[in-house]
Amino acid sequence: MGGGAARGLSHIGVLEAFEEYGIPVDCIAGTSMGAIIGAMYAIEPDAAAIKRKFTAFLDSKAFRESRFSYMVEMDLAQAGLFDRLSQFAKKSIFYTLLMTRRSFIEQAATTQNFAFLIDDIPLNKTRIPFCTSTLDLVSGKEYVVRQGNLQQAVAASCAIPGLFPPVELDGRLLVDGGWINAVPAVPARKLGADLVIAVDVNSDLDTFREPDSAVDIVARAETITRWALGNRECSTADLLLTPETGGGHWADFSLFQEAVASGRAEVERHLPQLRRLAAQARWKRLIFG
């Protein structure tokens, strides 16, 4: 399950459809939002329960204090002079904060969010085998977390550089795995998967608007790099699902139902192929053990 912030809510719809159509889930590897949804499902394999819990979270004080709406407002294209000035002010505040502290969202709010969504248990106590993909800032390599505290493992995989604080874990300084492995197909195979189904909610690049500053140009180049890395990782999967996100902003969680429906629709579009691959995997397991 790949990263994608609000767009990653499509993962819930994918899992919902898997349950309905009898597609088994034997292990899960997740990055960023895929790590959150994947961990929740690994603890309790019930898509309806995840929908209820996430709906409650989006209506909670913990979510409001994360200030994701600020990120949306900062990036919206504004028409009027006052609106453009307001947008400029928001960007200036954001960049100033990034220069004066380690993250835009403070540690207390981050901890509160993950405590709301993820049980405080050892990673090896989930009902479905699970791992997360992270980036180690020191070594520059992917670090797959397969043991330790589940909340910490997910927090590390979701630590968007600049937005959330890095996570110190196993002697490493870890950030969002999407910066090195947005869709962790290889970690899923190493976890034991015979058949890997990858879900990528960032399969298409967002439309590029005329940049306002050098920062916008740098951000675009960085986005392209992560997009290219994700495409390379997805090529190792047996099947790739790409739910339609409609170009929605990565921090806009208001389209919850639409994202879930998009995940369901993508599974239904590939249902014959999914069933065929699942049947082949079962036969291989019976023959070769």
Side-chain angles (χ1 to χ4, degrees):
M1 294 182 172
R7 298 168 181 175
L9 295 173
S10 298
H11 293 308
I12 300 175
V14 169
L15 292 169
E16 191 175 61
F18 275 22
E19 288 180 3
E20 181 175 340
Y21 296 111
I23 306 298
V25 178
D26 298 316
C27 61
I28 302 173
T31 294
S32 201
M33 179 56 78
I36 294 176
I37 303 299
M40 294 172 74
Y41 197 78
I43 296 167
E44 183 181 3
D46 183 343
I50 294 176
K51 284 177 69 174
R52 290 193 297 271
K53 195 167 190 177
F54 229 102
T55 300
F57 171 66
L58 295 178
D59 194 41
S60 70
K61 179 181 178 182
F63 176 74
R64 289 193 296 273
E65 289 180 348
S66 295
R67 302 170 68 191
F68 278 101
S69 60
Y70 190 96
M71 309 302 297
V72 179
E73 293 165 3
M74 188 176 67
D75 288 341
L76 287 176
Q78 305 290 350
L81 176 61
F82 178 80
D83 289 334
R84 290 199 300 273
L85 288 173
S86 176
Q87 184 186 43
F88 176 79
K90 285 183 170 67
K91 285 188 175 183
S92 298
I93 292 169
F94 177 73
Y95 296 141
T96 299
L97 287 174
L98 294 190
M99 294 297 293
T100 56
R101 62 192 196 192
R102 297 183 80 185
S103 63
F104 179 70
I105 298 174
E106 296 182 349
Q107 182 64 60
T110 302
T111 302
Q112 189 178 21
N113 283 339
F114 289 111
F116 194 108
L117 293 169
I118 309 295
D119 291 352
D120 187 16
I121 62 172
L123 200 151
N124 61 6
K125 295 298 182 182
T126 57
R127 291 172 61 183
I128 296 175
F130 174 73
C131 69
T132 68
S133 174
T134 69
L135 170 61
D136 180 2
L137 290 178
V138 177
S139 70
K141 297 178 180 179
E142 179 184 19
Y143 180 61
V144 178
V145 187
R146 297 182 59 175
Q147 59 185 3
N149 181 270
L150 182 62
Q151 284 184 5
Q152 281 190 310
V154 174
S157 188
C158 295
I160 299 173
L163 191 61
F164 294 106
V167 174
E168 295 183 28
L169 187 65
D170 299 337
R172 295 172 170 85
L173 190 62
L174 305 176
V175 295
D176 192 318
W179 265 251
I180 194 166
N181 191 349
V183 187
V186 171
R189 212 173 289 280
K190 290 181 178 179
L191 198 58
D194 299 313
L195 168 66
V196 174
I197 301 166
V199 186
D200 183 11
V201 299
N202 291 312
S203 58
D204 296 322
L205 277 171
D206 293 336
T207 301
F208 184 51
R209 299 199 306 265
E210 184 70 23
D212 294 328
S213 66
V215 173
D216 291 337
I217 296 171
V218 171
R220 177 62 174 185
E222 178 265 347
T223 297
I224 292 171
T225 299
R226 290 191 292 115
W227 173 75
L229 285 172
N231 286 343
R232 187 176 66 182
E233 183 73 6
C234 287
S235 68
T236 68
D238 296 287
L239 178 64
L240 176 63
L241 302 179
T242 57
E244 174 59 49
T245 62
H249 193 281
W250 63 269
D252 184 3
F253 287 83
S254 66
L255 301 177
F256 178 84
Q257 295 298 337
E258 290 84 350
V260 173
S262 176
R264 284 186 57 90
E266 181 67 1
V267 171
E268 290 168 350
R269 190 165 72 89
H270 289 86
L271 192 56
Q273 191 175 3
L274 278 163
R275 284 175 166 162
R276 184 172 63 254
L277 288 171
Q280 290 173 356
R282 283 193 293 270
W283 275 110
K284 285 182 181 179
R285 196 174 298 126
L286 287 172
I287 295 172
F288 299 107

